[in-house]
Amino acid sequence: MNEFLRTMLFLPEQASSFAEQVDQLHYFVIITTLIASTAVGMGAIFFFWRYRRRVQDQKTPHVEPTVLIEALFVAVPLLFFVSWFVMGFKDFITLSTPPREAMDVYVMGKQWMWKFAYPQGPNSISTLRVPADRPVRLLLTSRDVIHSFYVPAFRIKQDALPGRYTQTWFTATRPGRYPVFCAEYCGLTHSGMIGEVVVLPGPEFDAWLADQQRGLADRQDAQDVRAERVEPEGSMVEQGRVLATSQGCTRCHSVDGSNHIGPTWLDLYRRRELTTEGKAVEADEPYLTESMMDPKAKVVSGFDPVMPSFRGRLSPPEVAALVEYIKSLRSDRVVLPTPRRGKL
Amino acid sequence: MEARLAHHFRAIETQRHAERLGMWLFLATEVLLFAGLFCGYTLYRYLYPETFKLASAHLDVFLGTVNTVVLISSSLTVALAHHFAHRDRSRMAGVLLFVSVLAGLAFLGVKAVEYTHKFEEGLLPGRYFHAEGLTAPGASMFFTVYFLTTGLHAFHVVVGMGVLVWIGVRAWRGEFHANHSMPVELGGLYWHLVDLVWIFLYPLLYLV
Amino acid sequence: MSTAPVPASFVPGPEDPAPGPPHYLKDGTTVRSWLLTVDHKRIAILYLVSVLVGLFLGGMFAMALRLELLTPGPTIMDALTYNRMFTLHGVTMIFLFMIPAIPAVFGNFFLPIMLGAKDVAFPKLNLLSWYVYVIGGALALWGMVHGGADTGWTFYTPYSTTTPTKVLPILLGASIIGFSSILTGLNFIVSIHTLRAPGLTWTRMPLFLWSLYGTSIIQILATPVLTLVLLLVATEAAFGFGLFDPARGGDPVMFQHLFWFYSHPAVYIMVLPAMGVISETISTFSRKNIFGYRMVAFSSLGIAFVGFFTWGHHLFVSGQSTFDAGAFGILSMFVGVFTAIKVFNWVATLYKGAISFKTPFAYICGFLYFLVFGGMTGVAVATVSLDVHWHDTYFVVAHFHFIMVGAVMMAFLAGLHYWFPKMFGKTYHEGWGLVAASLIVLGFNATFIPQFLLGNAGMPRRYYAYHESFQALNVASTAGATLLLFGFVIIAIYLVLAFRFGGPAGPNPWGSRGFEWVTASPPITENFDGEVEVTGTPYDYQEDQPSVRVTPEAE
């Protein structure tokens, strides 16, 4: 039944856990719409015939609705619409709430391509490799204008904004290749800003990732539709470590727990801090990013507001690399950062 | 000159009611026009509270206060003008209207002085911002909002002055009396709106 | 001056033998008398000519787009031209046609007459509103000819503030046209409050006036925000002030909020007057009172009011908070209920009526079907989880074309064919009217139903090139558009012929009890030949006596 309706409605295959959920509501809404328009249409046509004009100045009775009829006219559509809202919003909350164990991938849209960066692995252009049956969280931003990351087969879409991170997540349920479109008009080659999600079975994905981490940069996948460039300098964490020195962060921030001019980075990720204005903040990705761009916004209590802004001095991938580096600095020595559930 | 009953109105009282209603509706549209800018101010103030406070300190509170007093007084003179027009003292109304126009000129003059200061100190919107000492993001945004709101307001002051000049000339020529003072009333209403917008802008930009 | 009251018969009658004052078309024949007119009817005709120019241009842009989309790759133009073309199509259709069409043409012509008045409250302001429209339109068109913007009619920042194409003339032109909309709305509200004839209580008013009242409220409250936001984009594009630029601390999404705060209520500016036309015509052609008059009137106000609080449903995937998405989602559902109420009441009006299937009625049928389908797909895209898939795809494009072309355009054509005899005193060929109506309804379905399916399949909007699997549906859509074009061409031909050579129309060829049918066809400049008094509603077809009494003024 699902397959029949899906094909009739020209919907793409359902390749994510979310797609199957969403399509159920889709069918409900569209079928109701078709029934309602047909009913109205048929009702009207019946009336045309039954009450056609027989004499030129025919008189007609004055008919007024009863309170019951008026109440039904209001209640029936309202009931349908509100129930659709409730079902839809429930699904939307699911979509807005990535699970704790989701694997992060940084996505950057720029005119006119998509770039992907894995915390534990390489960067790539246009091709996003993910494991099947494991939740993946996408952290999206844009280098220039607003883009929108759209995977029809997953039924997901999220705008990528300059200067900010937005997020979405999915669990791909079938291995395969699925197109990615840009869905927010962004200029000349908006329609050429195509990408691809390659869903690999779990073990294959792990093997691929391990390969990349070992720096086997020159291997080209013969099945690749688009060339994929792999940065050989290693993981984002490593890039972040290099940047922390080259950009001068370590002049004020230690990585060993000692407080210097600025708070220590050890165990900083998701640490609860108090600001000089008495507000409690959690040092999550947005806070860390904000501190680099606008350091005076939320200064940790006990420190002076002397940190300079790195706006314009760090590109988004570099900011992301520093964030990943900070996330890796844990005194309990877990190697891979485990992103937790939560909104950005 | 008498107030002329237009051919499509049934009574002069209805016509007056229509004119007043029309002006109030127009003032509502002006409020909505400024509302968008106030929303922008609110958003950016919320995002950059400290910076806005710091940037606001670069505005001259004394000059801002002078302007507020000038504008409020001009609203008073405009209201008085209507009072006199309604009591058959059209010439007096004309005088008061010209005084209001002068107040408007004074307002614009003070604003010109303030704007010049800003140019000199580099406190300008967006990519023209090059002030020393104010480096936090959001600083240039304060001045973007400042120039856009006060600029749009100043444009309305100019339009209002034009309206008052036109009515003032007619008043000086003795046109208005108890049965015909609508133009003074309606023009006055417009000027009061211009004043009211400033009364909101002044504390938001200068005082907090 | 005639010495007898206008005949009280509502049977379609022979030619009106009216001697006496000339009708409005003949009352002054110089160009000057037209360009400096303060007669609301002449202003309506001026608007009619202008909006039809807009419709023609917008339609040409649309055909160009559909031709380009016949193949997945380049067909007849390059990407930059295509991007400009869809921007111009949107800007022209929305600002030069859809927003003014029904209110400024039929509203201007018939609002005073339906009130029993001689003109609108501020006739000179009315003329000014037309000139403002023309100036704004000319500026926007000039911008189009000289390159034109490629941002889409929605001008999203930061693309619109950084694009190399010429945005300023179009932004300024659209801002200026906004003033025209504001002035018209202001005029209508004051007119309805102050110019109702004796006996015309609010609950006796034609529903067209209720819908215009709701429309006017939206026009005066929402349009200033559009004016402001377009000016802000223009200053930012020109001077780099950074209001929407993240590098200077700005927020590009704030633009979206300000823009849609106007642009969502704007769709109700388009659809409310259309609904008003349907109320008038459905009652006339079924010779029956409107079922649930108060509900329909109240729904017009309900749509106007609630419509202001739903704009965030255009921002579900923009990065706004989940809470906002929920708030705007539920409010959007409420607005849909008012339309449902109206549709049920209209269909129920047919019950025990005496239906005559003339050309305007064919358009009413099209309207009803398209409004239900288009409206419900609107509720569908307002369902948050579903919109994630559909946002910025052809599904949304199909939805809003169903409403704008399917509903509003059908209503415009219904009104045009209904009021043509009244406005011009001539009749048109009924047979060709039905042929054209069928072509338009068929062509419309063929154009836009494939687009729902394209959206489902995942084709985003504003795409110059597309995946080859989308081609079949695109070809179908273009074929439909060609049919639509034929329909419009046929209408243009027979209406122009009718205007020049048509047979004379009597004062009331449809046998309607609407107030406007008491006047001559075409009406005299002063509309009525005496003092007007209203004693009933425009819809009481069970009565014998007319609802409007015109007593000649004493000499």
Side-chain angles (χ1 to χ4, degrees):
Chain A
M1 185 58 178
N2 172 54
E3 262 314 290
F4 170 70
L5 285 171
R6 190 189 66 74
T7 350
M8 287 267 76
L9 291 170
F10 281 70
L11 286 164
E13 54 187 314
Q14 291 152 347
S16 78
S17 55
F18 186 65
E20 289 153 30
Q21 252 178 297
V22 155
D23 281 1
Q24 297 303 312
L25 181 57
H26 183 143
Y27 302 147
F28 181 17
V29 171
I30 291 298
I31 291 177
T32 314
T33 302
L34 286 170
I35 293 179
S37 18
T38 315
V40 168
M42 300 270 92
I45 290 175
F46 172 68
F47 284 161
F48 298 163
W49 168 79
R50 173 78 179 78
Y51 298 110
R52 59 196 182 281
R53 190 177 300 182
R54 292 168 170 90
V55 186
Q56 221 170 30
D57 52 348
Q58 185 171 339
K59 286 260 196 322
T60 55
H62 184 99
V63 180
E64 280 293 344
T66 60
V67 177
L68 176 65
I69 292 268
E70 293 191 5
L72 280 174
F73 282 0
V74 175
V76 170
L78 189 62
L79 191 68
F80 273 99
F81 299 166
V82 171
S83 56
W84 293 344
F85 166 75
V86 168
M87 291 187 263
F89 191 56
K90 213 157 83 37
D91 286 345
F92 186 74
I93 292 182
T94 309
L95 183 63
S96 313
T97 321
R100 307 180 129 244
E101 66 279 9
M103 175 188 104
D104 282 350
V105 181
Y106 288 88
V107 180
M108 186 176 74
K110 81 184 241 347
Q111 286 165 323
W112 287 280
M113 64 180 80
W114 295 103
K115 289 185 167 177
F116 306 100
Y118 300 76
Q120 333 80 311
N123 306 323
S124 62
I125 297 180
S126 301
T127 308
L128 171 65
R129 276 196 168 72
V130 294
D133 299 312
R134 287 189 222 156
V136 175
R137 176 169 75 149
L138 301 179
L139 294 160
L140 305 121
T141 188
S142 160
R143 173 91 129 221
D144 37 43
V145 298
I146 300 182
H147 300 276
S148 193
F149 188 83
Y150 175 38
V151 187
F154 295 173
R155 313 288 190 273
I156 61 164
K157 182 185 288 119
Q158 181 63 249
D159 282 6
L161 307 173
R164 253 183 75 184
Y165 276 106
T166 52
Q167 70 172 12
T168 186
W169 75 278
F170 60 88
T171 302
T173 49
R174 328 183 173 173
R177 290 167 172 265
Y178 307 103
V180 177
F181 298 124
C182 174
E184 185 58 60
Y185 178 72
C186 53
L188 195 67
T189 322
H190 165 60
S191 54
M193 196 164 151
I194 312 278
E196 192 176 54
V197 181
V198 175
V199 179
L200 299 167
E204 237 181 272
F205 175 79
D206 295 331
W208 173 82
L209 198 59
D211 258 354
Q212 300 305 318
Q213 283 177 296
R214 274 195 295 272
L216 296 173
D218 291 316
R219 171 167 341 152
Q220 283 286 354
D221 189 342
Q223 296 162 330
D224 266 8
V225 174
R226 282 176 179 73
E228 184 184 316
R229 200 181 65 202
V230 165
E231 307 294 317
E233 57 241 49
S235 67
M236 284 176 77
V237 171
E238 182 54 31
Q239 289 174 36
R241 195 185 65 74
V242 168
L243 282 164
T245 314
S246 67
Q247 290 294 319
C249 315
T250 47
R251 272 187 248 137
C252 301
H253 296 279
S254 77
V255 299
D256 61 5
S258 53
N259 279 337
H260 189 39
I261 299 170
T264 183
W265 280 3
L266 183 64
D267 291 327
L268 172 60
Y269 182 60
R270 296 219 171 251
R271 184 164 72 214
R272 296 206 77 85
E273 303 274 26
L274 206 61
T275 69
T276 50
E277 283 165 25
K279 272 204 290 226
V281 290
E282 187 181 294
D284 54 6
E285 286 93 343
Y287 176 75
L288 294 173
T289 311
E290 184 187 45
S291 301
M292 291 182 234
M293 297 293 120
D294 182 12
K296 305 231 177 12
K298 296 189 185 88
V299 179
V300 176
S301 166
F303 295 92
D304 293 322
V306 294
M307 177 174 165
S309 164
F310 288 84
R311 187 186 293 275
R313 286 157 63 181
L314 289 171
S315 69
E318 289 170 337
V319 170
L322 280 164
V323 169
E324 286 302 312
Y325 176 55
I326 292 171
K327 279 158 84 168
S328 75
L329 296 167
R330 301 165 60 98
S331 47
D332 58 3
R333 291 275 163 229
V334 174
V335 173
L336 289 176
T338 49
R340 297 206 208 135
R341 163 197 222 107
K343 305 184 216 300
L344 272 185
Chain B
M1 198 209 282
E2 283 298 316
R4 213 179 21 206
L5 175 64
H7 78 297
H8 53 285
F9 282 108
R10 294 186 172 85
I12 189 73
E13 221 13 79
T14 322
Q15 179 173 315
R16 287 197 185 123
H17 173 62
E19 287 167 351
R20 274 190 201 107
L21 179 60
M23 181 48 91
W24 278 104
L25 287 173
F26 181 66
L27 296 185
T29 69
E30 293 280 44
V31 170
L32 262 300
L33 183 72
F34 279 94
L37 280 172
F38 279 102
C39 280
Y41 172 88
T42 311
L43 173 71
Y44 291 127
R45 201 195 168 93
Y46 169 75
L47 288 176
Y48 308 111
E50 285 304 315
T51 317
F52 264 44
K53 252 208 260 267
L54 280 171
S56 165
H58 280 77
L59 293 182
D60 191 332
V61 177
F62 173 69
L63 288 180
T65 315
V66 163
N67 259 353
T68 309
V69 169
V70 161
L71 220 50
I72 293 182
S73 312
S74 74
S75 257
L76 175 64
T77 51
V78 159
L80 279 174
H82 180 243
H83 173 85
F84 282 111
H86 199 61
R87 278 156 185 70
D88 299 337
R89 297 197 46 198
S90 192
R91 272 246 141 144
M92 189 59 190
V95 169
L96 285 162
L97 286 167
F98 289 135
V99 169
S100 315
V101 171
L102 285 174
L105 262 170
F107 178 90
L108 291 175
V110 169
K111 277 245 84 49
V113 168
E114 283 186 280
Y115 279 11
T116 318
H117 281 171
K118 301 287 166 299
F119 267 88
E120 284 162 6
E121 288 166 29
L123 296 167
L124 294 170
R127 66 164 184 243
Y128 303 103
F129 184 80
H130 59 84
E132 309 299 318
L134 259 183
T135 48
S140 76
M141 189 55 70
F142 177 82
F143 291 99
T144 303
V145 172
Y146 170 78
F147 275 98
L148 284 171
T149 48
T150 57
L152 188 65
H153 177 257
F155 174 74
H156 282 78
V157 170
V158 170
V159 169
M161 281 166 58
V163 169
L164 292 181
V165 164
W166 176 53
I167 299 175
V169 165
R170 289 163 70 181
W172 181 257
R173 291 197 187 137
E175 181 181 324
F176 302 119
H177 54 82
N179 283 332
H180 174 50
S181 61
M182 222 22 176
V184 185
E185 182 179 338
L186 298 183
L189 274 176
Y190 188 76
W191 190 255
H192 291 316
L193 178 85
V194 170
D195 186 22
L196 185 69
V197 172
W198 178 257
I199 290 174
F200 276 90
L201 281 182
Y202 167 67
L204 288 177
L205 291 172
Y206 289 84
L207 297 184
V208 296
Chain C
M1 195 74 153
S2 61
T3 50
V6 173
S9 157
F10 285 90
V11 175
E15 180 180 341
D16 184 6
H23 61 77
Y24 79 99
L25 286 171
K26 288 227 156 65
D27 194 3
T29 48
T30 60
V31 171
R32 197 157 177 237
S33 71
W34 275 91
L35 292 182
L36 290 179
T37 183
V38 288
D39 177 4
H40 65 99
K41 298 181 289 301
R42 286 195 164 196
I43 294 175
I45 302 298
L46 290 174
Y47 266 111
L48 180 63
V49 171
S50 327
V51 304
L52 288 178
V53 169
L55 177 64
F56 171 74
L57 284 171
M60 290 299 102
F61 294 142
M63 277 317 296
L65 289 174
R66 289 277 15 128
L67 286 174
E68 170 55 41
L69 289 172
L70 276 172
T71 72
T75 316
I76 54 170
M77 60 181 82
D78 63 16
L80 181 59
T81 310
Y82 180 84
N83 295 340
R84 286 200 175 112
M85 203 63 80
F86 67 68
T87 307
L88 304 184
H89 168 67
V91 168
T92 312
M93 279 307 207
I94 291 179
F95 294 117
L96 267 63
F97 179 73
M98 299 238 63
I99 298 268
I102 297 179
V105 175
F106 303 121
N108 261 323
F109 202 102
F110 291 105
L111 179 130
I113 299 180
M114 286 180 176
L115 289 172
K118 295 191 171 131
D119 212 308
V120 289
F122 307 117
K124 292 194 197 125
L125 210 63
N126 206 5
L127 182 66
L128 178 67
S129 82
W130 182 72
Y131 276 105
V132 170
Y133 166 85
V134 167
I135 291 171
L139 184 56
L141 283 172
W142 180 86
M144 292 181 203
V145 168
H146 284 82
D150 72 328
T151 57
W153 83 277
T154 51
F155 298 111
Y156 271 26
T157 55
Y159 185 72
S160 58
T161 49
T162 54
T163 174
T165 59
K166 224 177 174 132
V167 286
L168 275 147
I170 297 187
L171 287 170
L172 293 174
S175 292
I176 293 173
I177 295 180
F179 276 114
S180 168
S181 192
I182 292 173
L183 293 175
T184 302
L186 197 151
N187 229 333
F188 284 0
I189 293 179
V190 178
S191 304
I192 292 178
H193 276 280
T194 59
L195 291 175
R196 289 194 314 274
L200 182 53
T201 58
W202 283 83
T203 49
R204 278 179 178 169
M205 278 207 317
L207 286 166
F208 186 48
L209 296 188
W210 276 103
S211 73
L212 286 175
Y213 191 76
T215 307
S216 301
I217 292 178
I218 306 176
Q219 279 177 300
I220 62 169
L221 292 181
T223 316
V225 179
L226 176 80
T227 309
L228 178 79
V229 79
L230 293 183
L231 287 176
L232 289 179
V233 173
T235 51
E236 178 142 338
F239 303 119
F241 281 178
L243 200 61
F244 304 118
D245 181 358
R248 300 193 196 285
D251 184 0
V253 180
M254 184 177 81
F255 167 81
Q256 294 180 35
H257 282 285
L258 290 175
F259 178 81
W260 288 111
F261 182 82
Y262 164 77
S263 300
H264 188 78
V267 314
Y268 300 121
I269 296 178
M270 302 180 223
V271 96
L272 273 176
M275 292 173 161
V277 171
I278 295 304
S279 289
E280 298 303 319
T281 47
I282 209 172
S283 170
T284 296
F285 288 94
S286 53
R287 278 190 74 80
K288 176 94 179 347
N289 73 293
I290 291 284
F291 188 83
Y293 169 94
R294 275 164 209 255
M295 298 273 289
V296 178
F298 174 71
S299 295
S300 291
L301 298 183
I303 289 175
F305 180 67
V306 180
F308 269 102
F309 299 105
T310 60
W311 79 87
H313 63 229
H314 299 268
L315 281 90
F316 282 150
V317 297
S318 67
Q320 82 178 350
S321 71
T322 315
F323 172 78
D324 278 0
F328 286 118
I330 187 69
L331 286 165
S332 305
M333 294 307 180
F334 294 150
V335 112
V337 176
F338 293 118
T339 304
I341 292 173
K342 288 197 182 204
V343 169
F344 296 146
N345 279 301
W346 285 322
V347 176
T349 298
L350 302 171
Y351 173 71
K352 294 209 169 149
I355 299 166
S356 160
F357 205 103
K358 293 280 194 297
T359 303
F361 198 73
Y363 287 115
I364 295 174
C365 295
F367 174 92
L368 282 174
Y369 160 69
F370 293 136
L371 186 69
V372 172
F373 203 80
M376 290 193 76
T377 51
V379 174
V381 286
T383 306
V384 195
S385 61
L386 300 180
D387 189 50
V388 175
H389 180 63
W390 282 326
H391 174 72
D392 263 340
T393 66
Y394 265 85
F395 192 92
V396 176
V397 174
H399 154 68
F400 65 68
H401 280 91
F402 253 71
I403 300 287
M404 296 215 242
V405 184
V408 179
M409 180 63 88
M410 296 299 126
F412 180 82
L413 292 172
L416 188 61
H417 287 78
Y418 177 54
W419 280 315
F420 188 90
K422 177 58 61 184
M423 290 164 80
F424 302 111
K426 299 277 173 68
T427 54
Y428 54 82
H429 193 286
E430 179 62 29
W432 280 109
L434 287 174
V435 166
S438 320
L439 274 177
I440 290 201
V441 170
L442 263 161
F444 177 85
N445 274 307
T447 311
F448 292 108
I449 290 184
Q451 294 189 7
F452 278 121
L453 300 174
L454 277 171
N456 274 351
M459 179 170 171
R461 55 187 289 204
R462 296 174 170 163
Y463 259 37
Y464 168 68
Y466 56 81
H467 191 270
E468 60 205 13
S469 64
F470 297 141
Q471 182 169 20
L473 287 170
N474 270 295
V475 171
S477 180
T478 303
T482 320
L483 259 183
L484 253 183
L485 178 64
F486 277 133
F488 277 110
V489 167
I490 294 178
I491 295 178
I493 294 176
Y494 70 70
L495 281 184
V496 168
L497 287 176
F499 177 72
R500 296 269 0 252
F501 307 116
N508 195 354
W510 313 115
S512 171
R513 285 186 70 86
F515 299 155
E516 69 272 26
W517 301 98
V518 165
T519 63
S521 296
I524 58 174
T525 303
E526 299 274 294
N527 298 334
F528 299 98
D529 222 354
E531 286 303 305
V532 177
E533 196 198 334
V534 173
T535 54
T537 79
Y539 311 116
D540 31 6
Y541 286 91
Q542 77 285 6
E543 298 291 332
D544 272 320
Q545 291 307 308
S547 303
V548 178
R549 211 176 6 237
V550 182
T551 324
E553 284 155 17
E555 285 292 337

